[in-house]
Amino acid sequence: AEYMGIIIVCACGFDSIPADFGTLLTQSEFSKTGSILNSVESFLMIKRGRSGKFHLSVTTWHALIAGFEHLAEFQEWRKKNQKPNQLTSRVIPAGEKLTIVQSPKYSEMFGRWTALFTGADSSVVKRTQTRLTYMKQNNTPINENITGVQNASYWLIEKAWIMVLLASFGTVFELLVRKDWGRKLLSEHPSLFSFGLFNEGPSEDDIIDAKFQMIFVARGYSSQTALKNSKIDKQIITRWCGPEGAYVSASIMHVHSFLAVSEYNKKNPNNPKIGCLTPALALWNTNFMNRVEKYDIKFQVLNNVSPGQKTQPFIVPKL
């Protein structure tokens, strides 16, 4: 792609654009404080539409099955095709290592349940952060104060019964997707094995009034002294929000990511965005956010906690 002068952007839709670009924008906001960033965690929350139900298309279901089926092959392919000088560019944590919570857990901070997001988000964000580390090491950072950072992605769920349903779905899916006969069952009976989530797709009432928000919690150290003492005392909370995510916001973001990058390359013919890029690296320094804000897709700073201030509780904004 670089040789041909073209750009390929993977995972360019919902929910990887909010997760990936939202993490980078949060890093940028944190860097403005002069503090040292340790980690960024994202929490995805969905508000159902007028019908009170949430449905996805069978096409998405089949893509999910195929993704898990070929996951090991894809990971091996990526290792073989990654540039040799980027293989050692691993994110080096500033301070303590981020603990990723594998099991569902009630969050006192949010007053809701959290569950590990097993989609592509973490992988996409990790690729961006690895690249940012490489760029920093080679003195070509996108911003002098931004380097790769630890990350994790979670669901944010209000009701305990939804948490139980999601956990049950994940368990059943993980057990069946490992075997040929299991994948056949999943493919032939999507509604049954997804507890009605995947069928012919959302109705108009499913989409009307539906919304999403992804909350980012960035934590770090206010000074070198705090870092030396391993005392996290700086926190910024941001969010990316918009109308229904999987179909409405996804379409808007997909179209305007293309338009934003195209416009950027026309204005910067001597330094265009080319190659295989993640959404965050492709959209950085473009007018993408200005474009999508017209459709009520926004990135906002919600909370900026300085040393000495309490970091809890945090009131989750209503959608």
Side-chain angles (χ1 to χ4, degrees), residues 189-202:
H189 307 284
S191 183
L192 174 64
F193 288 106
S194 68
F195 303 103
L197 177 62
F198 290 89
N199 50 30
E200 69 279 359

Side-chain angles (χ1 to χ4, degrees), residues 12 38 56 88 95 111 180 187 252 268 276 292:
C12 199
N38 171 267
L56 295 169
T88 57
D180 290 339
S187 297
I252 295 168
N268 299 273
C276 295
V292 298

